[in-house]
Amino acid sequence: MSQHLLTVDSLARENVDHLLRVAARMEPIANRRQVTRVLEGAVLGNLFFEASTRTRVSFNAAFCRLGGSVCDTTGFTFSSMAKGESLYDTSRVMSGYCDAIVMRHPDQGSVAEFAAATNVPVINGGDGPGEHPSQALLDLYTIDKEFQRLNKSLSGAHILLTGDLKYGRTVHSLIKLLSLYGPLRITLVSPPGLEMPSALIDLVASRGHRIEQRSSLACDFSDLDVVYATRIQKERFTDEMNESFQGLSGDFMINRDFLDQRCSPSTIVMHPLPRDSRPGANDLDVNLNGDPRLAIFRQTDNGIPMRMAIFATLLKVDALIDEDQRPVRWFVPSQTGTLDR
Amino acid sequence: MSQHLLTVDSLARENVDHLLRVAARMEPIANRRQVTRVLEGAVLGNLFFEASTRTRVSFNAAFCRLGGSVCDTTGFTFSSMAKGESLYDTSRVMSGYCDAIVMRHPDQGSVAEFAAATNVPVINGGDGPGEHPSQALLDLYTIDKEFQRLNKSLSGAHILLTGDLKYGRTVHSLIKLLSLYGPLRITLVSPPGLEMPSALIDLVASRGHRIEQRSSLACDFSDLDVVYATRIQKERFTDEMNESFQGLSGDFMINRDFLDQRCSPSTIVMHPLPRDSRPGANDLDVNLNGDPRLAIFRQTDNGIPMRMAIFATLLKVDALIDEDQRPVRWFVPSQTGTLDR
Amino acid sequence: MSQHLLTVDSLARENVDHLLRVAARMEPIANRRQVTRVLEGAVLGNLFFEASTRTRVSFNAAFCRLGGSVCDTTGFTFSSMAKGESLYDTSRVMSGYCDAIVMRHPDQGSVAEFAAATNVPVINGGDGPGEHPSQALLDLYTIDKEFQRLNKSLSGAHILLTGDLKYGRTVHSLIKLLSLYGPLRITLVSPPGLEMPSALIDLVASRGHRIEQRSSLACDFSDLDVVYATRIQKERFTDEMNESFQGLSGDFMINRDFLDQRCSPSTIVMHPLPRDSRPGANDLDVNLNGDPRLAIFRQTDNGIPMRMAIFATLLKVDALIDEDQRPVRWFVPSQTGTLDR
């Protein structure tokens, strides 16, 4: 595996397989049955030049669970970059302070530019419309884990990606990773104007997968294994799209009716979160809360073992984890969420 | 004790007694004579969706003193909640990352709603006009500790609560806790329009305490044990109140003259802080700085052992503290503040 | 050494010598070859009431490398100081939570006022136009280390300070520290209106150094050992200065041509950073990136061992460092930056 994790494009099948295996070995620690201190003394620079509580805390907690310490930075105005400092300088300076760096930045390519200046491992935590590889990895890990639980296999699975497939960077990265496995049947459903870029469709098809585009969810999905829903981000819309889209968005909403009427009882629902739970938001329906098919919280939980696996692999301590463990001494609830099933 | 600490209403006398005892056992660690690592590997989510340096750092430091790591979040705009995420989702996601969660939020009831979604222990760090139970507990712990030092007893003590008794949430929670002890004599002095809610007065009276309301501090307080002053927060005032209140506020100010002329030498002064030290603020007078009767910094110091006790109790490591200790190796001043007496 | 580190004025030659020696002993830990846990259990209050990612993270990482935990505060609006809390109260409250405090604040003298209230060690992380002593110490440490590498001596060295010598607080503190060593030859080059204050020039001269002021870089610097460049901060300018300064700033820029044509191959270039790398900024030229004479990143790297030395000395654990070490187990690149020479 390369020195940094900037894009899923750099990951070969064997790299992904390795990360999935290491993540599985992290489960006892991520689930708070065991404690490890393998990174005790190491410092993570967790640089979020764009807002993201969830992803920031997930990386932070994952590094802490390995025994390390974290220096957080949030916002852009607080940064010397506002005074004209180049990404090169910021990168080289931070690299003298930290053993690993996670960076989120609004500009596509900025994290790669940052990484070019340093030999300290850099993880892309999202660069605007660009990449967010750890999300795709935890999504794939979730599918793999859910399939093991359900005695299913990635080979021959049917996966539905729906919502905003044009701007949703998580689905772009995920579909690339999925294309390393399979062969799969992938169905894409999005409103007009928000279709998956054709280059990605071609890539997936060229790797031997069956990929279909549809414009409606009103089909038979009785053999569906996974629905991966994404939010239709209205802030991306032009005025024109806004007009033509009036009243449409509800048609692309995943809810209990859709699952009950069109899918199988073993279809699981994923979403990169956050979802908009306000009335009329037409995002993934809250009426699925507490439904065992809703895998979205198992999915976010999986961010911890996968990010631990990424850190451990890049910092080359993955082989030390099994020996460096002791039992947790504090209270851990047997079930994390009150509605978990 | 229940799984979360959301309100003092859920605390029975035996729960409070337990927390006071555990806090006392935390003193050597809180006072930096001893180090414990009992929570090594644990992660606290310290979620402050409303500004509060003091309370945030106090919880953070208390968790660190137990050996744990902390993920801080400050502000609201940085949160996915700004994108329409429900408290349910935020809670369930954070619960997959953290072993305990402290939450401050501007909306009353929000912390309870957050806690309803998770089995991970949640501590209410203040929900707007609602509750802030750890403050009330450290206040009670302070009174108990000061009384031990002065060979006084909570039984028969005379406590004055003054300032804004209507909106000051700390006095509401404190008076509930105090009412579990005693019997006490409680005097309430506030400007017209800022009186303690009558439901609280009735509750305290029904528990056998002697409770009196006055509109002025110009009385004999020679048997007073504690004066608990609170800031009159002008931002809560209507225009009408502002007018009628002109010039009044100084009459409700606790200062050296009040203590010297109306109280006994053993009367201690408490305040939830921050106090407004700007000229004309009419908050607790700075002319008491360095006076041994001023207990406000002993009070904030007590936030550490009490919050350690809360964490240790909710995470069920309170029984492990005594064994898991070693001496501090770094320099600790014998007296924290230069004016401490 | 005194209890706090507020200004370089309080440092005698023997204090500085001690810090340089301790910093050198921190190198294996700062360079991530060794881990120490000597401050395990200690808590740093890292209070930044003014923006500074670099300095904040440097202090944070240095404290973590000693084994301690850090509570960060950034920004001013989030502070109870916005509600009228005095520096005295803030200081005394934070001192009950923390074992050491770093403070940056926009107002000159504020950190000293803060320190006056507490016996917990306080380090001035910059008080507006005032002092930033840890920067001067790491600058001196860098010169000392570079000279050792180059078999040079501080005695008889020639040091050029250039740029904004009037408002640049780092050069003020550095020249005071340098004046404890030597005897030196110091050349000052700045645009008209931005000269070094004469009191400082007199102080340095009175200590037996040869100090010269010039208004241009167009001289022979063939015996120069160090050029210390600083940014000309246009935000400090009056309208008048702005006008007369049009086109001038490039004349005070340090770049490859200046080094190649006027200096010796062993002249090193320092800068307190951040530098403005935008075109037309006329700050230290990016065309020196990758040039071994450019010492600016070795300089920022040195912030870690020097700040570790400051913490260890103030907290009196400097004598424990050599025994409390074990090897790092994670991957550390042999060269931090990709262009490091």
Side-chain angles (χ1 to χ4, degrees):
Chain A
M1 200 165 135
S2 74
Q3 174 183 17
H4 306 299
L5 178 60
L6 302 176
T7 160
V8 296
D9 294 334
S10 70
L11 295 171
R13 166 74 183 257
E14 63 183 23
N15 303 134
V16 181
D17 283 343
H18 176 81
L19 288 170
L20 295 176
R21 275 195 309 269
V22 177
R25 285 165 47 215
M26 295 296 179
E27 290 281 352
I29 305 161
N31 292 334
R32 313 160 200 179
R33 305 294 157 193
Q34 297 286 113
V35 170
T36 186
R37 303 300 291 165
V38 79
L39 285 187
E40 193 171 71
V43 174
L44 171 68
N46 206 25
L47 312 182
F48 276 70
F49 297 109
E50 192 187 48
S52 170
T53 300
R54 169 195 323 289
T55 307
R56 183 172 57 80
V57 173
S58 178
F59 276 115
N60 189 325
F63 204 78
C64 289
R65 298 256 178 235
L66 290 166
S69 301
V70 181
C71 297
D72 261 331
T73 287
T74 51
F76 198 72
T77 50
F78 286 133
S79 155
S80 49
M81 291 159 82
K83 299 179 196 161
E85 183 171 74
S86 65
L87 281 168
Y88 174 82
D89 280 14
T90 305
S91 173
R92 180 56 190 81
V93 169
M94 287 296 153
S95 300
Y97 303 159
C98 303
D99 297 283
I101 293 170
V102 172
M103 184 171 170
R104 171 167 287 199
H105 194 286
D107 298 337
Q108 185 162 13
S110 57
V111 182
E113 187 186 340
F114 184 95
T118 181
N119 291 318
V120 165
V122 174
I123 298 167
N124 187 350
D127 58 334
E131 285 253 11
H132 185 14
S134 66
Q135 177 72 46
L137 284 162
L138 79 88
D139 288 344
L140 180 68
Y141 181 59
T142 300
I143 294 172
D144 191 47
K145 239 175 100 174
E146 294 286 317
F147 279 15
Q148 284 179 39
R149 183 175 62 83
L150 297 164
N151 288 314
K152 291 184 170 186
S153 159
L154 264 168
S155 179
H158 183 190
I159 295 172
L160 165 64
L161 305 176
T162 182
D164 174 1
L165 303 184
K166 180 172 185 187
Y167 297 107
R169 69 179 167 199
T170 58
V171 285
H172 299 174
S173 297
L174 176 58
I175 206 170
K176 288 181 193 168
L177 281 190
L178 282 171
S179 74
L180 300 175
Y181 293 82
L184 300 166
R185 181 173 163 208
I186 297 177
T187 304
L188 308 172
V189 177
S190 57
L194 294 179
E195 287 89 358
M196 176 77 69
S198 58
L200 275 168
I201 295 180
D202 294 347
L203 172 80
V204 171
S206 77
R207 289 184 177 164
H209 304 282
R210 185 173 151 202
I211 187 160
E212 265 180 287
Q213 278 190 288
R214 296 198 180 174
S215 57
S216 163
L217 289 170
C219 318
D220 174 39
F221 285 107
S222 58
D223 69 343
L224 192 67
D225 298 297
V226 179
V227 47
Y228 192 102
T230 62
R231 188 161 73 97
I232 295 173
Q233 297 179 278
K234 292 196 180 160
E235 58 268 33
R236 308 265 195 202
F237 281 15
T238 59
D239 286 351
E240 225 174 320
M241 286 173 80
N242 263 325
E243 243 173 71
S244 75
F245 201 66
Q246 289 294 27
L248 248 179
S249 61
D251 297 351
F252 297 91
M253 193 174 180
I254 301 299
N255 54 24
R256 186 181 292 271
D257 277 354
F258 173 77
L259 281 194
D260 287 348
Q261 290 164 18
R262 305 203 178 268
C263 303
S264 93
S266 73
T267 307
I268 61 157
V269 180
M270 296 172 63
H271 187 293
L273 299 189
R275 66 172 162 174
D276 191 337
S277 293
R278 291 172 292 197
N282 289 319
D283 203 342
L284 175 61
D285 202 318
V286 296
N287 74 6
L288 283 165
N289 290 356
D291 190 308
R293 293 170 294 184
L294 189 75
I296 58 174
F297 300 120
R298 297 192 294 273
Q299 185 183 357
T300 60
D301 287 354
N302 287 334
I304 299 293
M306 179 45 77
R307 292 186 170 116
M308 291 175 74
I310 293 167
F311 286 130
T313 300
L314 292 178
L315 290 168
K316 303 188 200 297
V317 292
D318 43 315
L320 305 175
I321 291 293
D322 296 329
E323 304 138 45
D324 189 327
Q325 285 192 26
R326 59 169 194 264
V328 157
R329 294 193 291 172
W330 63 85
F331 164 74
V332 176
S334 57
Q335 182 185 298
T336 304
T338 49
L339 296 183
D340 287 2
R341 292 294 169 267
Chain B
M1 200 164 136
S2 73
Q3 174 184 17
H4 306 299
L5 179 60
L6 301 176
T7 160
V8 296
D9 293 334
S10 70
L11 295 171
R13 166 75 183 257
E14 62 182 26
N15 302 135
V16 181
D17 283 344
H18 176 81
L19 288 169
L20 294 176
R21 274 194 310 269
V22 176
R25 284 166 47 215
M26 295 296 179
E27 290 281 352
I29 305 161
N31 293 334
R32 314 158 199 179
R33 307 293 157 191
Q34 297 286 115
V35 170
T36 186
R37 303 301 290 165
V38 77
L39 285 187
E40 193 171 71
V43 174
L44 172 67
N46 206 26
L47 311 182
F48 276 70
F49 297 108
E50 192 187 48
S52 170
T53 300
R54 170 196 322 290
T55 307
R56 184 172 56 81
V57 173
S58 178
F59 276 115
N60 189 324
F63 204 78
C64 288
R65 298 257 178 235
L66 289 166
S69 301
V70 180
C71 297
D72 260 330
T73 288
T74 50
F76 198 72
T77 51
F78 286 132
S79 154
S80 50
M81 289 157 84
K83 299 181 196 158
E85 183 171 75
S86 65
L87 281 168
Y88 173 81
D89 279 14
T90 304
S91 173
R92 180 56 190 80
V93 169
M94 288 295 153
S95 301
Y97 304 159
C98 303
D99 297 282
I101 292 169
V102 172
M103 183 172 171
R104 171 166 287 198
H105 193 285
D107 298 337
Q108 184 161 15
S110 58
V111 182
E113 187 185 340
F114 184 96
T118 179
N119 290 318
V120 165
V122 174
I123 298 167
N124 186 350
D127 59 333
E131 285 254 11
H132 184 15
S134 67
Q135 176 72 45
L137 284 161
L138 77 89
D139 288 344
L140 180 69
Y141 180 59
T142 299
I143 294 171
D144 191 46
K145 239 175 101 174
E146 294 286 317
F147 279 14
Q148 284 179 38
R149 182 174 63 81
L150 298 164
N151 288 313
K152 291 185 169 185
S153 158
L154 263 168
S155 178
H158 182 190
I159 294 172
L160 166 63
L161 305 176
T162 182
D164 173 2
L165 304 183
K166 181 171 181 187
Y167 298 107
R169 69 180 167 198
T170 58
V171 286
H172 298 174
S173 297
L174 176 58
I175 206 170
K176 287 182 194 169
L177 281 190
L178 282 170
S179 74
L180 301 175
Y181 291 83
L184 299 165
R185 182 174 162 207
I186 297 177
T187 304
L188 308 172
V189 176
S190 58
L194 294 179
E195 288 89 358
M196 176 77 70
S198 58
L200 274 168
I201 296 180
D202 294 347
L203 173 80
V204 172
S206 77
R207 288 183 177 165
H209 306 281
R210 185 174 151 201
I211 187 160
E212 266 180 285
Q213 278 190 289
R214 294 197 182 173
S215 57
S216 163
L217 289 170
C219 316
D220 173 40
F221 284 108
S222 58
D223 69 341
L224 192 67
D225 297 298
V226 179
V227 47
Y228 192 102
T230 62
R231 187 161 74 97
I232 294 172
Q233 297 180 277
K234 292 198 180 159
E235 59 269 32
R236 307 265 195 200
F237 281 15
T238 60
D239 286 350
E240 225 173 319
M241 286 172 80
N242 263 323
E243 243 172 70
S244 74
F245 201 64
Q246 289 294 27
L248 247 178
S249 60
D251 298 351
F252 296 92
M253 191 173 181
I254 301 299
N255 54 24
R256 185 180 292 272
D257 277 356
F258 172 77
L259 280 194
D260 286 348
Q261 290 164 17
R262 304 202 178 270
C263 303
S264 94
S266 72
T267 307
I268 60 158
V269 180
M270 296 172 63
H271 187 293
L273 299 187
R275 65 171 162 174
D276 191 337
S277 293
R278 290 172 292 197
N282 289 319
D283 204 341
L284 176 60
D285 202 317
V286 295
N287 74 6
L288 282 165
N289 290 357
D291 190 308
R293 291 169 295 184
L294 189 75
I296 59 175
F297 300 119
R298 298 192 293 274
Q299 185 183 358
T300 61
D301 287 355
N302 288 333
I304 299 293
M306 180 44 77
R307 291 185 170 117
M308 290 175 74
I310 293 166
F311 286 130
T313 301
L314 292 177
L315 289 168
K316 303 188 201 296
V317 292
D318 44 314
L320 305 175
I321 291 293
D322 296 330
E323 304 138 45
D324 189 327
Q325 285 192 25
R326 59 170 194 263
V328 157
R329 295 193 290 173
W330 63 86
F331 165 74
V332 177
S334 57
Q335 183 185 294
T336 303
T338 49
L339 297 183
D340 287 3
R341 293 292 169 271
Chain C
M1 199 164 136
S2 74
Q3 175 184 18
H4 306 300
L5 178 61
L6 302 176
T7 160
V8 295
D9 294 333
S10 71
L11 295 172
R13 166 75 184 256
E14 63 183 23
N15 302 136
V16 181
D17 283 344
H18 176 81
L19 288 169
L20 295 176
R21 275 195 310 270
V22 176
R25 285 166 48 216
M26 295 297 179
E27 290 281 353
I29 305 160
N31 293 333
R32 315 159 198 179
R33 306 293 157 192
Q34 297 286 113
V35 170
T36 186
R37 302 302 289 165
V38 78
L39 285 188
E40 193 171 71
V43 175
L44 171 67
N46 205 25
L47 311 182
F48 277 70
F49 297 109
E50 192 187 48
S52 170
T53 301
R54 169 196 322 291
T55 307
R56 184 172 57 79
V57 174
S58 177
F59 276 114
N60 190 324
F63 204 79
C64 288
R65 298 256 178 235
L66 290 165
S69 302
V70 180
C71 297
D72 262 330
T73 287
T74 50
F76 198 72
T77 51
F78 287 132
S79 153
S80 49
M81 290 158 82
K83 298 179 197 161
E85 183 172 73
S86 65
L87 281 168
Y88 173 82
D89 279 13
T90 305
S91 173
R92 180 56 190 81
V93 169
M94 287 296 154
S95 300
Y97 303 159
C98 303
D99 297 282
I101 293 169
V102 172
M103 183 173 171
R104 171 167 285 199
H105 193 285
D107 298 337
Q108 184 160 14
S110 58
V111 182
E113 188 185 340
F114 184 96
T118 180
N119 291 317
V120 166
V122 174
I123 297 167
N124 186 351
D127 58 334
E131 285 252 12
H132 185 14
S134 67
Q135 176 72 45
L137 284 162
L138 77 89
D139 288 345
L140 180 68
Y141 180 59
T142 299
I143 295 172
D144 191 46
K145 240 175 100 173
E146 294 286 318
F147 279 15
Q148 285 179 38
R149 183 174 63 82
L150 298 164
N151 288 313
K152 290 185 171 186
S153 158
L154 263 167
S155 178
H158 183 189
I159 294 171
L160 167 63
L161 305 175
T162 183
D164 174 1
L165 304 183
K166 181 172 183 188
Y167 297 107
R169 69 180 167 199
T170 59
V171 285
H172 299 174
S173 297
L174 176 58
I175 206 170
K176 287 181 193 168
L177 281 190
L178 282 171
S179 74
L180 300 175
Y181 292 82
L184 301 166
R185 183 174 162 208
I186 297 176
T187 302
L188 309 172
V189 176
S190 58
L194 294 179
E195 288 89 359
M196 176 78 69
S198 57
L200 275 168
I201 295 180
D202 295 347
L203 173 80
V204 172
S206 76
R207 288 184 176 164
H209 305 281
R210 186 173 150 202
I211 186 160
E212 266 180 285
Q213 278 189 288
R214 296 197 181 174
S215 58
S216 163
L217 289 170
C219 317
D220 173 39
F221 284 108
S222 58
D223 69 341
L224 192 67
D225 297 298
V226 179
V227 47
Y228 192 102
T230 62
R231 188 161 73 97
I232 294 174
Q233 297 181 277
K234 293 198 180 157
E235 57 269 32
R236 307 265 195 200
F237 281 14
T238 60
D239 286 351
E240 227 173 318
M241 287 173 80
N242 262 325
E243 244 173 67
S244 73
F245 201 66
Q246 288 295 30
L248 247 179
S249 61
D251 298 350
F252 297 91
M253 193 174 180
I254 300 299
N255 55 25
R256 186 181 291 271
D257 277 354
F258 173 76
L259 281 194
D260 286 348
Q261 292 164 16
R262 305 203 178 269
C263 303
S264 93
S266 73
T267 307
I268 60 158
V269 181
M270 296 172 64
H271 187 293
L273 300 188
R275 65 172 162 173
D276 191 336
S277 294
R278 290 172 293 197
N282 289 318
D283 205 340
L284 175 62
D285 202 318
V286 295
N287 74 7
L288 283 165
N289 290 357
D291 190 307
R293 293 170 292 184
L294 188 76
I296 59 175
F297 300 119
R298 298 192 292 275
Q299 185 183 358
T300 61
D301 287 354
N302 287 333
I304 299 293
M306 179 46 76
R307 291 186 171 115
M308 291 175 74
I310 293 167
F311 286 130
T313 301
L314 293 177
L315 290 167
K316 302 186 202 298
V317 292
D318 43 314
L320 305 176
I321 291 293
D322 297 329
E323 305 138 44
D324 189 326
Q325 285 192 24
R326 59 168 194 264
V328 156
R329 294 193 290 173
W330 61 87
F331 164 74
V332 176
S334 58
Q335 183 185 295
T336 304
T338 48
L339 296 184
D340 287 2
R341 293 292 169 271

